Amino acid sequence: MPEARVIQLRPDDDEPRVPPPSSASWEEQVAGGLEFLRRRLTGDYDTDEFGFDADLTDHVLLPLLRPLFSRWFRVETHGVENVPDTGGGLVVANHSGTVPLDAMMATVALHDDHPARRRLRLLGADLVFDLPVIGSLSRKLGSTLACNEDAERLLTGGELVGVFPEGFKGIGKPFRERYTLQRFGRGGFVTAALRTGAPIIPCAIVGAEETYPMIGNVKTLARLLGLPYFPVTPTFPALGPLGLVPLPSKWLIAFGEPIETASYGPSAAEDPMLVFNLTDQVRETIQQSLYELLLQRRSVFS
C-alpha cells in the first residue's frame, strides 16, 4: 500500500505570500477599466468549451476575492513549489466551512502565489450549476461538473484541476467534527489521474472550518428547499443578513509533494485495489497535514 506523506512546511514559509500591489497609475487603471468595458459590450472576449471566461475572471472575479484572501482571512500559502509549473495536475483538498469559500481561496492562492500563476479549474456538484447567478459565475471562473469525463478532458489539456472529494459531507458537517476528514467516495479522482497520468497534489486547508461554525442543521427545511443541509451558526439565521458575513479566521493552505501516477499506466484505473490504496494515501496525507497546520497556527483568529 502506498505510504502517506505529511505536507512539510519549509522554514522560509513562515510569512504569507501575497501578490505585490499593482504598479499601474490611476490613469492606467481607468484606461484598463474602460478597455474591459469595451470588450464586454462588443463581445470581444473568448470562453472555452466549459464556459471559462479568462477576461472576466482576471478583471472582476479574482479582484473581488482578493480582499477576502489577503485582508479578511490573511491566507498564508505554503508549498506552491510542489505544484507543477506546466501540464495537467489534480489538486485534492479537504472541504469545510458550510459555504465553499475554501475552493475560492485555493483558486486565488494558485493564481497569485504560484510563479506560473496557475489557474485552478474546480469540479463542482450539480447543485452549484443549478443555482441562479452562482452557477453561471462558477462556469465563468473555470468550474465544471464533478464527473470523470470533464476532469480527464481538462487534465489531458494540461489544466490544473481542483477536486474536493468530501463534497457536501465535508462542508455540511457539524463544527464538533472540524478538521476530521469525511469519506472520499469511490476514488473517482484517482481513476481520472491514472487514465491521464496526471500527478495528484494533496492540499490541506486550515481556517475554513471557523468561518461559519455549523452548530445545527434544520433537515426538514433543507428537504423543502432541495438543499443538502440548512445550517445554523452562531450568527445565522439569528442575525439575518449580517449572519452571512464569514468570521475572520486565520487561514493556512499547504500543497504537498505530488504523487505521480504516470508510471502505473492508464489501465491501472481498472484496478480497484490500487485505486482504493491511492485514495487512502491521499486522504491520510491530507489528514496528517491538517494536524500539522493546526499546530503551526497560533490561534483561530491570528
Side-chain angles (χ1 to χ4, degrees):
M1 176 176 175
E3 182 180 350
R5 291 169 289 181
V6 177
I7 299 174
Q8 298 294 325
L9 304 185
R10 300 186 307 170
D12 59 352
D13 274 342
D14 292 337
E15 296 299 325
R17 296 189 180 104
V18 297
S22 174
S23 59
S25 67
W26 181 84
E27 292 85 356
E28 290 172 330
Q29 292 181 34
V30 170
L34 292 174
E35 176 60 20
F36 170 76
L37 289 176
R38 182 199 66 77
R39 291 195 300 272
R40 305 312 294 185
L41 292 172
T42 60
D44 185 20
Y45 60 92
D46 297 318
T47 59
D48 70 8
E49 59 181 312
F50 298 96
F52 172 53
D53 187 336
D55 188 48
L56 186 70
T57 295
D58 290 346
H59 292 90
V60 176
L61 301 181
L62 285 176
L64 286 174
L65 292 171
R66 284 189 181 110
L68 274 178
F69 182 89
S70 60
R71 296 187 181 90
W72 193 251
F73 297 137
R74 307 168 310 285
V75 181
E76 294 184 23
T77 307
H78 305 274
V80 288
E81 68 279 357
N82 290 319
V83 180
D85 290 348
T86 59
L90 192 65
V91 176
V92 183
N94 58 299
H95 215 12
S96 62
T98 306
V99 175
L101 291 173
D102 47 9
M104 301 296 98
M105 296 303 101
T107 298
V108 178
L110 284 167
H111 183 272
D112 288 1
D113 290 355
H114 194 282
R117 299 177 72 84
R118 298 293 317 255
R119 297 189 186 278
L120 186 63
R121 306 296 296 271
L122 298 167
L123 302 181
D126 293 3
L127 177 61
V128 173
F129 302 102
D130 291 338
L131 295 173
V133 181
I134 292 177
S136 176
L137 288 178
S138 296
R139 286 282 187 188
K140 292 183 181 299
L141 188 62
S143 301
T144 189
L145 289 172
C147 63
N148 271 31
E149 291 79 6
D150 282 4
E152 289 171 24
R153 285 161 63 196
L154 286 166
L155 290 170
T156 302
E159 299 286 353
L160 198 61
V161 177
V163 62
F164 295 78
E166 294 172 280
F168 290 122
K169 300 188 301 294
I171 58 174
K173 66 178 180 287
F175 187 63
R176 64 178 179 275
E177 297 178 14
R178 59 193 179 277
Y179 300 115
T180 301
L181 291 181
Q182 304 299 296
R183 190 171 62 88
F184 265 24
R186 299 179 181 177
F189 68 91
V190 170
T191 61
L194 288 169
R195 288 195 180 104
T196 59
I200 299 173
I201 302 101
C203 175
I205 303 174
V206 161
E209 295 278 17
E210 294 89 9
T211 54
Y212 298 102
M214 190 163 140
I215 57 177
N217 178 15
V218 187
K219 295 181 180 180
T220 301
L221 186 54
R223 283 195 298 270
L224 290 173
L225 296 174
L227 300 173
Y229 54 86
F230 188 89
V232 176
T233 75
T235 60
F236 180 85
L239 298 184
L242 188 60
L244 298 176
V245 178
L247 297 177
S249 54
K250 173 65 178 177
W251 284 45
L252 304 173
I253 300 179
F255 299 94
E257 294 182 9
I259 299 170
E260 71 89 21
T261 64
S263 63
Y264 293 105
S267 62
E270 310 304 322
D271 182 344
M273 186 55 68
L274 175 63
V275 171
F276 174 82
N277 287 340
L278 285 173
T279 301
D280 192 57
Q281 177 189 355
V282 174
R283 185 181 182 280
E284 184 63 23
T285 297
I286 296 171
Q287 184 66 81
Q288 293 301 318
S289 299
L290 287 173
Y291 294 148
E292 180 181 339
L293 289 177
L294 287 169
L295 292 174
Q296 296 283 332
R297 190 172 63 165
R298 289 183 292 274
S299 72
V300 171
F301 298 106
S302 65

